[in-house]
Amino acid sequence: MNSSILTIGHLARQTGTKVETIRFYEKNGLLPEPSRTEGNYRAYEPDHLNRLSFIRRARDLGFSLDQIRALLALSDNRGQSCAAVDAIASKHRAEVEKKISDLMALKTELDRMIDQCGCGVVADCRIIETLSPK
Amino acid sequence: MNSSILTIGHLARQTGTKVETIRFYEKNGLLPEPSRTEGNYRAYEPDHLNRLSFIRRARDLGFSLDQIRALLALSDNRGQSCAAVDAIASKHRAEVEKKISDLMALKTELDRMIDQCGCGVVADCRIIETLSPK
DNA sequence: ATATGACCCTGTATACGCTACAGGGTCATA
DNA sequence: TATGACCCTGTAGCGTATACAGGGTCATAT
């Protein structure tokens, strides 16, 4: 058979993805269903590998699967305006910024709480006290 | 009946928690099972309210339910050393710090990617290009 | 007495993004 | 022909809730 045909295991190794995750992406419409061999094995082509690499890169950058689905659809329409792509990426960046500022506020509170702990007995613990209702 | 007895709805309103969430905490061992009325309604006492307030405060500070279970157990042993409490809080703070630095690294990458976008057509889009395999 | 509507009950399904089985089939190599 | 690496499907689990279906209870209004 064609030497460019890949099994799911090859795809997994080449993209650092678990086999189950690849099947999960297929079931969730991110990766098109490949054809099958006589023995019912998935037979991938180079395009599948490219698409999976794209997905993994986007996941590493924290995009949701929904966002990735949209990015994939856009990247398949190469003549379209890039503004929609920019919108998705910018929205994601805004979400990341929000998370960072939420976590920094959280850390400030944790710092205050932990710094007060004199590490005596629980009855006098400022951490427990901070959590307890008045 | 006793005027200090509370329904689940009262507990919910007083702590800003959804009724389903309170039942969820009970099923997961964070809130002890209250006694029941004749009509099989949960009948809470002030202690339940205090405990739920504690849980919500800790959740607001980002502690996991496992960590909260441990904090609750510790706060019930008031003569014990406070070091275990400090350990849980410090571990949580470290996790928060890790998340912040991960997200800041992510944001740097997103910034770089988005700043390159000239917003022409998808074929020339730097965002798509960044995501695509070489 | 009854009707309404607010509240409560249990149990199950859903969300996200996987991961981990169980129980089987296929394929290459010794 | 036997082994072991690989593949298949289907289901359940993680954490932290939220939502809903289909029913029961309770207080108030008429």
Side-chain angles (χ1 to χ4, degrees), chain A residues 7-131:
Chain A
T7 65
I8 197 168
H10 286 120
L11 236 66
R13 276 186 294 278
Q14 291 192 34
T15 59
T17 312
K18 303 232 161 170
V19 166
E20 292 96 332
T21 304
I22 297 175
R23 289 196 282 246
F24 168 82
Y25 288 155
E26 179 184 319
K27 198 169 50 176
N28 286 274
L30 285 142
L31 214 46
E33 290 184 32
S35 56
R36 300 287 182 126
T37 65
E38 283 181 24
N40 199 33
Y41 283 19
R42 284 171 181 79
Y44 291 103
E45 288 166 58
D47 262 6
H48 287 102
L49 181 56
N50 290 337
R51 208 167 177 90
L52 179 55
S53 302
F54 185 104
I55 294 168
R56 296 304 286 180
R57 244 173 262 256
R59 285 296 298 139
D60 285 346
L61 288 170
F63 287 97
S64 72
L65 297 189
D66 266 357
Q67 289 171 324
I68 295 171
R69 247 184 298 267
L71 289 172
L72 283 167
L74 287 164
S75 86
D76 288 341
N77 283 305
R78 310 195 56 81
Q80 224 176 296
S81 160
C82 174
V85 174
D86 192 70
I88 292 170
S90 297
K91 178 152 182 274
H92 175 49
R93 176 168 60 177
E95 287 159 0
V96 170
E97 283 165 354
K98 172 90 168 52
K99 264 186 210 159
I100 290 171
S101 81
D102 286 354
L103 285 173
M104 298 213 316
L106 191 55
K107 178 171 148 42
T108 301
E109 282 203 72
L110 288 171
D111 284 344
R112 194 163 41 216
M113 187 173 85
I114 294 169
D115 289 351
Q116 285 182 347
C117 177
C119 267
V121 292
V122 169
D124 307 321
C125 180
R126 298 311 200 126
I127 298 174
I128 294 293
E129 202 175 298
T130 299
L131 293 168

Side-chain angles (χ1 to χ4, degrees), chain B residues 18 20-21 24-25 39 41 59 64-65:
Chain B
K18 304 234 162 168
E20 293 95 332
T21 305
F24 168 80
Y25 288 157
Y41 283 19
R59 286 296 297 140
S64 72
L65 297 190

